[in-house]
Amino acid sequence: MGSGAEFRLLGPFDVLRDGRPVGPAGPKRRGLLAMLVLRANHTVSAENLIGGLWADDPPPSAANLVQTYVSAWRKTLEPGRAARGVGDRLVTVGLGYRLRTEPGELD
């Protein structure tokens, strides 16, 4: 992948690329990625992401918001994705998403 990504879960959640903090702001956006990092290399259903972000009171637009948050993270984690037409870092799998990490990218 060669993205220079680092995902920090110990202490405050943070995402670094080439040693610098990156990513969209906002607790829901960052919470979505934190859930994917906790299940790195495994598919997390959109239903589970919605439950994790909004518990028992998701807004009617929750599924669309999850898609929007994933899109924002894809732009951050795979800046060349649009030019390639496809990426391999944050992928849609059925009705869920999988964040692929490499050894050494998680603290």
Side-chain angles (χ1 to χ4, degrees), residues 13-83:
F13 175 67
D14 211 353
V15 181
L16 306 175
R17 193 170 68 221
D18 299 324
R20 296 183 182 182
V22 296
K28 299 283 190 221
R29 288 173 183 86
R30 297 186 70 72
L32 177 131
L33 190 69
M35 286 187 282
L36 292 171
V37 170
L38 287 168
R39 298 279 303 142
N41 301 312
H42 293 88
T43 301
V44 181
S45 72
E47 182 179 339
N48 283 342
L49 293 170
I50 290 168
L53 293 172
W54 291 282
D56 294 329
D57 193 26
S61 61
N64 289 336
L65 288 168
V66 165
Q67 291 173 349
T68 299
Y69 299 164
V70 167
S71 177
W73 278 110
R74 282 179 174 152
K75 289 175 186 172
T76 297
L77 297 172
E78 300 180 277
R81 181 185 184 105

Side-chain angles (χ1 to χ4, degrees), residues 84-99:
R84 294 187 316 267
V86 67
D88 62 355
R89 170 67 82 171
L90 180 51
V91 296
T92 302
V93 181
L95 297 176
Y97 302 94
R98 180 176 58 233
L99 175 70

Side-chain angles (χ1 to χ4, degrees), residues 8-14 107:
R8 293 185 176 172
L9 289 167
L10 301 175
F13 175 67
D14 211 353
D107 68 356

